[in-house]
Amino acid sequence: MSATDETEKPDEEAALQLDAAGNLRHLLTLKGLDKALLTDILDDAERYLTLPGTLPARSQSLAGRTVANLFFEPSTRTRASFDLAGKRLGADVLNLDVNTSSRKKGESILDTIYTLEAMQVDVMVVRDASAGVPANIARNVQEHVCILNAGEAEVSHPTQGLLDLLTIRQHKRSFSDLKVAIVGDIRHSRVAMSASQGLATLGIGELRLISPPSLAPDPESLPGAVILDNLDEGLADADVVMALRIQRERIGNLEGIPAIDQYFANFGISEERLKIAAPDVIVMHPGPMNRGIEIESVVADGPRSVITQQVTNGVAVRMAVLDRVSRIMTAR
Ligand code: CP
């Protein structure tokens, strides 16, 4: 049976990630996690941040545990930061090279998982192009194994959502009166989904999702968000602007997608376009960036950019999540 045969409904998936006492057992989606838990994870992550140029935070909270990174889609930031996060917590970290693994010989993803379980892997960090894969793995692993979603199709990227929330909180502190503009290919973006879910839980003032009509989200997937196709409307007085790349790998037919020049002219985040945002606007991008398409280089590298801070926060957030699920393992 393929791991995608039993795609779960989002509410079932949300329930799957908490144990009977409400503790985080798997991290599959931010949907369904309450404000107190999200805030606790962000607080934990902040404790793992150290000043630039100083040594990174370390602990031995995962000593003796094994974390496996299983990335069935490309990644730089998420994979490297889970690798560093596990090592900085004292875990053994296995980075499975998917291209030379037995999946290339037709082994199912669940057989790969069972094989790693038999080697006493405790945490599996999974990125996959198909919706439902992390949840299906979570339903099939032994009770002591934790599954962390590191990017699931266009559906969910919960640790990215957490690092985005942390970055916003570091600059804005209060979410309740914030205007956040997410710009780009919203329809195919798991980053937009997780950020929107987390921001809704934390009680954001206004969430604007701006894209060409061909890349607009299903309004039912993100209730409460204002969906726009005009960048100036979306950027007016915005406190936070998040630029997204076009997820070409998820778009079968590129018909209706604007050409690069046209896209940058209408939806690119440039110094000029940012003039109508709030004076202290911060500019985010999850990476990888396509400079000159969704964001101008001078903005990406400029004083309002918090893009490298997002990367730094990614390690801290992943340490916080790994530490949290390891507490449940220890309690068993
Ligand atoms: N933001 C993000 O998921 O980046 P990677 O694809 O490099 O992991």
Side-chain angles (χ1 to χ4, degrees), residues 269-276 296 298-299 302-304:
I269 303 302
S270 63
E271 282 281 294
E272 187 60 30
R273 301 303 286 264
L274 278 176
K275 283 181 182 163
I276 58 170
E296 196 176 32
V298 70
V299 173
R304 290 179 285 205

Side-chain angles (χ1 to χ4, degrees), residues 143-217:
E143 204 204 341
H144 62 276
V145 176
C146 301
I147 303 303
L148 305 182
N149 181 348
E152 173 191 2
E154 72 284 4
V155 177
S156 187
H157 194 350
T159 55
Q160 177 72 43
L162 288 166
L163 76 87
D164 290 338
L165 295 178
L166 178 59
T167 308
I168 294 171
R169 194 176 80 163
Q170 286 166 334
H171 288 270
K172 304 295 179 185
R173 293 290 157 190
S174 164
F175 284 87
S176 60
D177 53 1
L178 276 190
K179 296 184 185 74
V180 177
I182 305 181
V183 185
D185 178 6
I186 312 288
R187 179 175 295 181
H188 304 100
S189 176
R190 55 196 177 204
V191 173
M193 286 293 286
S194 288
S196 302
Q197 290 162 353
L199 287 165
T201 302
L202 294 188
I204 189 190
E206 188 178 335
L207 176 62
R208 304 168 184 167
L209 304 174
I210 306 120
S211 68
S214 55
L215 299 175

Side-chain angles (χ1 to χ4, degrees), residues 71 74-80 127 150-151 157 160 163 190-191 245 285-288 318:
F71 280 67
S75 169
T76 296
R77 281 148 284 270
T78 313
R79 179 172 161 161
R127 170 172 287 194
H157 194 350
Q160 177 72 43
L163 76 87
R190 55 196 177 204
V191 173
R245 77 181 172 90
H285 194 303
R318 287 161 184 134

Side-chain angles (χ1 to χ4, degrees), residues 310-330:
Q310 288 175 267
V311 176
T312 301
N313 287 339
V315 181
V317 155
R318 287 161 184 134
M319 288 175 80
V321 170
L322 283 168
D323 184 50
R324 189 159 284 266
V325 295
S326 78
R327 286 182 222 161
I328 295 201
M329 292 178 223
T330 308

Side-chain angles (χ1 to χ4, degrees), residues 16-329:
L16 182 62
Q17 56 192 351
L18 300 177
D19 72 6
N23 300 309
L24 191 69
R25 182 184 164 207
H26 305 292
L27 180 59
L28 307 173
T29 172
L30 294 189
K31 194 170 180 193
L33 298 184
D34 65 22
K35 184 174 178 177
L37 179 56
L38 294 188
T39 304
D40 282 352
I41 296 172
L42 301 187
D43 291 347
D44 289 348
E46 275 201 327
R47 286 192 275 274
Y48 286 118
L49 291 169
T50 59
L51 291 172
T54 63
L55 292 175
R58 289 184 187 276
S59 92
Q60 286 297 309
S61 63
L62 261 70
R65 299 290 178 186
T66 304
V67 177
N69 280 331
L70 311 174
F71 280 67
F72 302 109
E73 273 195 320
S75 169
T76 296
R77 281 148 284 270
T78 313
R79 179 172 161 161
S81 58
F82 265 115
D83 187 4
L84 289 173
K87 286 171 179 162
R88 288 176 185 172
L89 294 173
D92 295 326
V93 181
L94 168 70
N95 287 294
L96 188 77
D97 183 351
V98 174
N99 290 320
T100 56
S101 78
S102 286
R103 286 212 75 201
K104 290 284 174 190
K105 295 187 259 182
E107 184 171 69
S108 76
I109 193 165
L110 284 181
D111 281 333
T112 302
I113 298 295
Y114 299 147
T115 300
L116 294 171
E117 253 185 1
M119 296 179 192
Q120 295 178 287
V121 170
D122 303 288
V123 182
M124 303 199 199
V125 179
V126 179
R127 170 172 287 194
D128 199 274
S130 299
V133 167
N136 194 44
I137 295 171
R139 280 185 294 120
N140 283 283
V141 289
Q142 294 172 25
E143 204 204 341
H144 62 276
V145 176
C146 301
I147 303 303
L148 305 182
N149 181 348
E152 173 191 2
E154 72 284 4
V155 177
S156 187
H157 194 350
T159 55
Q160 177 72 43
L162 288 166
L163 76 87
D164 290 338
L165 295 178
L166 178 59
T167 308
I168 294 171
R169 194 176 80 163
Q170 286 166 334
H171 288 270
K172 304 295 179 185
R173 293 290 157 190
S174 164
F175 284 87
S176 60
D177 53 1
L178 276 190
K179 296 184 185 74
V180 177
I182 305 181
V183 185
D185 178 6
I186 312 288
R187 179 175 295 181
H188 304 100
S189 176
R190 55 196 177 204
V191 173
M193 286 293 286
S194 288
S196 302
Q197 290 162 353
L199 287 165
T201 302
L202 294 188
I204 189 190
E206 188 178 335
L207 176 62
R208 304 168 184 167
L209 304 174
I210 306 120
S211 68
S214 55
L215 299 175
D218 171 2
E220 287 180 18
S221 67
L222 296 164
V226 180
I227 296 174
L228 300 166
D229 62 7
N230 181 292
L231 185 58
D232 286 340
E233 262 183 73
L235 293 185
D237 300 320
D239 302 291
V240 176
V241 174
M242 183 188 296
L244 301 175
R245 77 181 172 90
I246 300 175
Q247 309 262 308
R248 293 184 188 278
E249 69 274 27
R250 301 192 203 291
I251 305 173
N253 179 0
L254 292 171
E255 210 173 301
I257 309 297
I260 288 173
D261 289 355
Q262 195 191 351
Y263 186 86
F264 181 73
N266 291 317
F267 297 97
I269 303 302
S270 63
E271 282 281 294
E272 187 60 30
R273 301 303 286 264
L274 278 176
K275 283 181 182 163
I276 58 170
D280 61 348
V281 66
I282 58 167
V283 177
M284 308 175 71
H285 194 303
M289 281 186 279
N290 293 134
R291 291 168 182 257
I293 301 179
E294 71 268 11
I295 190 165
E296 196 176 32
S297 263
V298 70
V299 173
D301 302 328
R304 290 179 285 205
S305 170
V306 295
I307 294 168
T308 55
Q309 190 176 355
Q310 288 175 267
V311 176
T312 301
N313 287 339
V315 181
V317 155
R318 287 161 184 134
M319 288 175 80
V321 170
L322 283 168
D323 184 50
R324 189 159 284 266
V325 295
S326 78
R327 286 182 222 161
I328 295 201
M329 292 178 223

